[in-house]
């Protein structure tokens, strides 16, 4: 539970985890007195006008196909044990496998003078991670994660489980890549991280306000060909980053960060929207009641195009297919790309060669990479679970993904 | 706009009532005030070579 | 919400008595309660050092764990299930315990024993800043700590104003007091109170139309350990060096780590550090570890200095220090790797039982043994020096890494040329086959050891 008061320049916040209804009201009185005391003692700074609020009263909830609360615990444990068995039985080379089934039920209620909103969001995730030993004793692994609003997430085909296991076996013999600039096809897992880490963080209005983002120089300008659009969308249903309203009571709607190659509007929290006179987007999010809200992403992706993955691979004489990543880090000021833990496969004469490369890093200048996008697939996938920090803290649940991207030039090492 | 379901639990009803009362107190002298109630429950079950583990 | 009382502590007693009853009735073999109580005071400044937000909060997190011993197919097994207690409603807690006891029957962990109080003789080390504690408890309440933080904020903005060509475009200062308590059915009851101060600044260096930034953060336990002058001087220099930097050229050769790159490399979110991950009892039990007790951690011929790695959770007023681990096992200083030989496991009570060793207690400050050369000798040219990674996240099991460089220097022909970008890539275990550590050492949060480390052969990607 948290309260906020805006004094015309700054917010004052009070968060608490244990209280009664009476205790809560007592705390509201005490907090209001504290803030009044603060205002009386401090000299005024720059006045900030918050955007006007509309009257709004709504209740929202997720629509799981199978309510996880209705599934017996024994069935959930059996799913994990059976899936673990399936992975381990698919090869003697597995040193171990990890199967995780997670679920959450999140209730949020937001109130202000004009708004009263509630949302109940449910989610289930599974993570499948086979581990193998290499001939020189190293341990390597492959993993994939899946997310759905309900227990239906466990409906993963045996074929998919075998694919994940088979990839781990192939990683056993993967090599290190020679650093260089290459042509590449990015799997949706990689294109999503590129959209999130490299582009999305630079479009957070609070970051731009602090003069931390090069995006400021590009607002309204072309950064890629007209086939490229990037969308930040908390309203996309059933994804790990989704919600109905943000932690500052703004209803979820999509925001085009890039529309037909032109850089659009930043995503905002209430404070940055007010300071920069920008439109509010539903991106004011906090880690918990004892953290401040910032401008944060939810689910971000490149919009689908008209190409196909197979045609992209077929068009490459010498390059790499990038399957998956371990994550990345933002560099909004330099608009640098830094994505690590990539699994890559060599493409030669239009075909995947089976030659794998493990723990590859991607780096470079984002506008150059976006400018070198040569193809966007119609295949589109936003699948897994993600956790996003602002710098190294302020963790919120997110998702990313999108289409396959054909990129002419990317630095891999 | 996302479509509202407009069905709520007792927890949500209680939180709404409390927050509205709090907002009435906080808004008396403030230009703007808001309140957020959050409650998250999680469960995690994992299976690996160490054995199955459950956390409720 | 309506069911939760303003006083938290009676709830802990309700949970304790219900768990104790389940044990008396032989429904549970054992139980554990872990309580964390945190007060937080944060101030946030945006561009122009304008105050943006002032936050104060208090939270309680209470987690209960039930243990059930059982036999299946002639094997002794341990069931374990944890759950957060979110209300003081006795019936609700009783139901949670019942659910957990059922969950225990579904788990199939190899048998182990939770620790008794003979393991929990937690040493008395100082973890809390008296200044923060006094400000929080002298009746001034939230304003007391916030006032201290606001004064510190003013010192930072004043210090930045002494430098030309830079702007302080944002700052966060957080302080917290966290009390932790672990108690169990075998008499463990340990407690600690720690403080933490976190500072992050956005420094923009400007030269005409060109701009660059450095975004440093620091965490300390004690307000008086914040050296405002030294912090500002160091990071203003870094921000300006980024401004005058170029992208790197492809380089294979000696790479020296210094400044912020050292703790990032040796103690990155500790669990992720490959050097320590292979000392974990859990890694050994699962057959994933590359170290063998009494043997070299780096296979093959090792040139240069040999690694000595110590886990020390007992450094006073260091935010990485702790008095006990999650089960209440007392902290102790322990050598993990001695001159290249693996000698000590980091293990919880459970994995210690499995491996028939002593539990280690918690991880703390990672201490790296000093080396044979002076810092000056380590910079023998040509070499690349890395002072800051964007984010160093190695694969903790394989040791592979590819990390982008936020700021580095090329030392060549008597010059020191700043660069930004490119990735340094390699494998931690291969890199240590030829490494030199400096004689001179530093102690900072999370890390104590050489001021500089030279790897003789690593690759930095860049223009060819």
């Amino acid at each position: 539970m948290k309260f906020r008061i805006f004094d015309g320049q700054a917010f004052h916040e009070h968060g608490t985890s244990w209280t009664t209804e009476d205790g809560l009201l007592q705390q509201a009185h005490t907090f209001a007195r504290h803030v009044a005391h603060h205002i009386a003692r401090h000299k005024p700074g720059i006045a900030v006008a918050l955007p006007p609020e509309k009257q709004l009263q709504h209740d929202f909830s997720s629509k799981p196909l199978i309510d996880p609360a209705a599934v017996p615990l024994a069935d959930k444990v059996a799913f994990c044990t059976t899936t673990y068995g399936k992975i381990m039985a698919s090869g003697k080379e597995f040193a171990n496998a990890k199967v995780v089934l997670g679920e959450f039920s999140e209730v949020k209620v937001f109130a202000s003078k004009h708004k009263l909103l509630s949302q109940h969001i449910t989610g289930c995730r599974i993570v499948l991670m086979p581990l193998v030993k290499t001939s020189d004793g190293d341990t390597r692994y492959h993993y994939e994660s899946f997310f759905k609003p309900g227990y239906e997430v466990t409906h993963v085909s045996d074929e998919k489980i075998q694919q994940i296991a088979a990839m781990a076996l192939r990683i056993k013999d993967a090599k290190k890549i020679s650093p260089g600039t290459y042509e590449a096809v990015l799997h949706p897992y990689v294109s999503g991280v590129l959209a999130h880490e490299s582009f999305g963080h630079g479009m957070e209005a609070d970051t731009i306000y602090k003069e931390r983002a090069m995006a400021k120089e590009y607002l309204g300008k072309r950064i890629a060909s007209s086939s490229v659009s990037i969308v930040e969308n908390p309203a996309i249903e059933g994804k790990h980053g989704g919600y109905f309203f943000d932690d500052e009571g703004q209803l979820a709607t999509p925001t085009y960060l890039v529309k037909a190659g032109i850089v659009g509007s930043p995503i905002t929290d209430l404070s940055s929207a007010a300071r920069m006179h920008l439109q509010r987007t539903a991106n004011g999010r906090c880690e918990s009641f004892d953290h401040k809200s910032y401008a944060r992403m939810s689910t971000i992706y490149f919009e689908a195009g008209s190409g196909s993955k197979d045609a992209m691979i077929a068009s490459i004489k010498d390059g790499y297919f990038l399957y998956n990543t371990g994550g990345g880090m933002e560099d909004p000021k330099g608009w640098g790309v830094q994505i690590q833990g990539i699994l890559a496969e060599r493409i030669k004469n239009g075909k995947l060669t089976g030659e794998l490369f493990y723990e590859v890093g991607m780096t470079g200048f984002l506008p150059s990479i976006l400018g070198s996008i040569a193809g966007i697939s119609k295949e589109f996938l936003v699948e897994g679970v993600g956790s996003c920090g602002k710098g190294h803290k302020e963790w919120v649940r997110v998702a990313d993904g999108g289409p396959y991207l054909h990129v002419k030039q990317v630095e891999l090492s | 706009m996302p479509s509202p379901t407009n069905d709520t639990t007792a927890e949500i009803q209680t939180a709404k009532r409390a927050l509205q009362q709090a907002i009435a107190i906080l808004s008396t002298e403030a230009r703007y005030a808001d309140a957020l109630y959050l409650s998250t429950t999680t469960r995690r079950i994992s299976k690996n070579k160490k054995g199955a583990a459950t956390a409720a | 919400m309506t069911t939760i009382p303003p006083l938290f502590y009676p709830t802990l007693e309700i949970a304790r008595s219900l768990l104790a009853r389940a044990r008396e009735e032989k429904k549970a073999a054992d139980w554990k309660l872990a309580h964390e109580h945190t007060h937080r005071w944060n101030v946030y400044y945006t561009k122009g050092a304008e105050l943006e937000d002032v936050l104060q909060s208090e939270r309680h997190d209470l987690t209960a764990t039930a243990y059930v011993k059982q036999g299946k197919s002639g094997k002794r097994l341990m069931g374990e299930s944890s759950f957060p207690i979110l209300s003081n409603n006795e019936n609700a807690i009783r139901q949670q315990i019942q659910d957990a006891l059922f969950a225990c029957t579904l788990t199939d962990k190899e048998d182990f024993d939770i620790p008794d109080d003979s393991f929990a003789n937690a040493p008395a080390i100082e973890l809390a800043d008296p200044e923060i504690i006094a400000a929080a408890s002298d009746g001034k309440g939230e304003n007391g700590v916030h006032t201290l933080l606001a004064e510190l904020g003013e010192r930072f903005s004043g210090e930045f104003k002494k430098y030309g060509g830079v702007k302080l475009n944002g700052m966060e200062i957080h302080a917290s007091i966290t009390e932790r308590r672990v108690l169990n059915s075998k008499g463990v009851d340990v407690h600690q109170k720690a403080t933490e101060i976190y500072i992050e600044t956005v420094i923009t260096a400007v030269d005409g139309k060109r701009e660059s930034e450095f975004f440093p953060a620091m965490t300390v336990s004690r307000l008086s350990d914040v050296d405002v002058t030294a912090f500002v001087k160091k990071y203003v220099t870094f921000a300006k060096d980024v401004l005058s930097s170029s992208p790197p050229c492809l380089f294979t050769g000696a790479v020296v780590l210094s400044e912020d790159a050292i703790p990032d490399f040796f103690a990155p979110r500790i669990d992720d550090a490959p050097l320590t991950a292979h000392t974990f009892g859990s890694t050994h039990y699962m057959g994933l570890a590359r170290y063998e007790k009494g043997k070299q951690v780096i296979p093959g011929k090792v040139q240069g200095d040999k690694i000595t790695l110590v886990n020390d959770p007992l450094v006073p007023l260091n935010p990485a220090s702790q008095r006990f681990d999650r089960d209440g096992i007392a902290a102790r200083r322990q050598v993990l790797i001695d001159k290249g030989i693996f000698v000590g496991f980091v293990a919880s009570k459970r994995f210690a039982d499995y491996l028939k060793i002593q539990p280690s207690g918690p991880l703390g400050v990672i201490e790296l043994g000093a080396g044979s050369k002076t810092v000056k000798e380590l910079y023998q040219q040509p070499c690349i020096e890395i002072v800051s990674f964007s984010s160093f996240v190695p694969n903790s099991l394989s040791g592979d890494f590819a990390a982008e460089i936020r700021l580095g220097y090329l030392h060549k022909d008597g010059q020191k040329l700043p660069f930004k970008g490119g990735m340094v890539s390699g494998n931690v275990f291969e890199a240590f086959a030829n490494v030199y550590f400096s004689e001179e050492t530093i102690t900072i949060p999370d890390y104590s050891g050489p001021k500089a480390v030279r790897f003789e052969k690593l690759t930095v990607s860049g223009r060819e």
Side-chain angles (χ1 to χ4, degrees), chain C residues 305-330:
Chain C
D305 292 332
K306 289 184 173 165
I307 315 165
T308 292
L309 197 73
V310 177
N311 169 40
D312 191 354
L314 302 176
V315 181
L317 289 161
N318 190 305
S321 293
Q322 304 179 68
R323 293 186 67 212
F324 49 86
D325 74 0
R326 281 185 300 181
D327 295 321
I329 305 269

Side-chain angles (χ1 to χ4, degrees), chain A residues 13 20 138 211 333 338, chain C residues 4 53 211 290 390 404:
Chain A
E13 306 197 46
T20 57
D138 268 351
E211 300 180 5
K333 188 72 179 174
Q338 47 228 292
Chain C
I4 299 170
D53 205 307
E211 286 190 358
R290 55 184 296 145
S390 300
E404 208 233 12

Side-chain angles (χ1 to χ4, degrees), chain B residues 18-38:
Chain B
L19 291 198
Q20 278 183 299
Q21 290 173 11
I23 286 295
I25 296 165
L26 299 174
S27 301
T28 46
E29 290 182 51
R31 295 174 189 219
Y32 172 86
D34 62 26
L36 182 70
Y37 169 84
L38 313 82

Side-chain angles (χ1 to χ4, degrees), chain C residues 99-366:
Chain C
D99 290 348
L101 292 173
F102 173 67
C104 284
T105 66
L106 300 171
T107 61
D108 54 359
K109 293 176 179 173
E110 193 181 331
D111 190 27
F112 64 96
D113 289 317
I114 67 164
D116 60 32
D117 60 351
S118 68
F119 288 95
N121 192 14
I125 49 162
E126 202 180 354
L127 300 171
D129 180 0
E131 196 178 0
I132 297 283
I133 300 290
S137 58
D138 66 0
K140 286 190 255 171
E142 62 193 68
N143 288 333
V145 179
H146 277 143
T147 303
L148 283 181
L149 301 188
E151 285 167 6
L152 184 61
E154 278 172 26
R155 281 171 59 207
F156 268 101
S157 26
E159 193 64 27
F160 275 104
K161 282 182 188 147
K162 292 180 185 170
Y163 293 85
V166 289
K167 291 189 279 186
L168 176 62
N169 267 330
M171 177 164 55
E172 293 188 9
I173 306 179
H174 306 181
S176 64
I177 302 174
T178 301
E179 290 180 79
R180 278 180 58 217
R181 184 180 176 196
V182 174
L183 55 160
N184 74 16
S185 51
K186 288 192 165 175
V188 167
D189 191 351
V190 284
H191 174 266
Q192 73 170 41
K193 186 188 261 194
T195 53
E196 197 169 276
I197 296 124
Y198 170 84
I199 296 151
E200 128 185 337
T201 58
V202 178
I203 308 168
T204 309
V206 191
D207 178 13
K209 280 193 168 177
R210 292 191 315 131
E211 286 190 358
S212 69
E213 80 159 13
F214 218 80
F215 181 50
M218 75 184 299
T219 305
V220 293
S221 293
R222 187 166 52 180
L223 215 48
S224 58
D225 287 339
V226 181
D227 187 340
V228 176
T229 310
F231 181 97
V232 174
K233 185 180 176 194
K234 172 177 162 178
Y235 291 113
V236 163
T237 306
F238 283 5
K240 289 184 171 183
D241 283 350
V242 171
L243 191 63
S244 59
S245 67
S246 332
C249 292
L250 181 66
F251 177 91
T252 298
V255 172
V256 177
L257 303 185
S258 69
E259 302 288 353
D260 300 359
I262 294 249
D264 278 356
F265 194 92
F266 288 97
R269 287 178 290 161
I270 288 173
D271 280 4
D272 290 335
L275 273 184
T276 39
H278 288 269
T279 69
F280 294 168
S282 54
T283 314
H284 282 262
Y285 177 69
M286 287 189 288
L288 303 177
R290 55 184 296 145
Y291 299 167
E292 275 183 71
K293 188 110 189 254
K295 295 199 172 159
Q296 289 279 356
V297 296
I298 306 299
K301 192 167 180 287
V302 175
Q303 291 173 286
D305 292 332
K306 289 184 173 165
I307 315 165
T308 292
L309 197 73
V310 177
N311 169 40
D312 191 354
L314 302 176
V315 181
L317 289 161
N318 190 305
S321 293
Q322 304 179 68
R323 293 186 67 212
F324 49 86
D325 74 0
R326 281 185 300 181
D327 295 321
I329 305 269
R332 64 186 163 99
R333 182 184 154 85
Q334 187 193 9
V335 181
L336 306 177
I337 300 169
D338 187 17
K339 296 189 187 70
I341 308 287
F342 172 47
V343 293
F345 290 93
V346 172
S348 64
K349 178 67 169 56
R350 178 183 164 205
F351 290 102
D353 280 7
Y354 294 169
L355 300 173
K356 299 190 172 34
I357 56 174
Q358 283 298 303
S360 62
L363 271 170
V365 175
I366 290 297

Side-chain angles (χ1 to χ4, degrees), chain C residues 363-375:
Chain C
L363 271 170
V365 175
I366 290 297
E367 188 182 305
L368 185 68
S372 59
K373 295 187 186 249
T374 62
V375 167

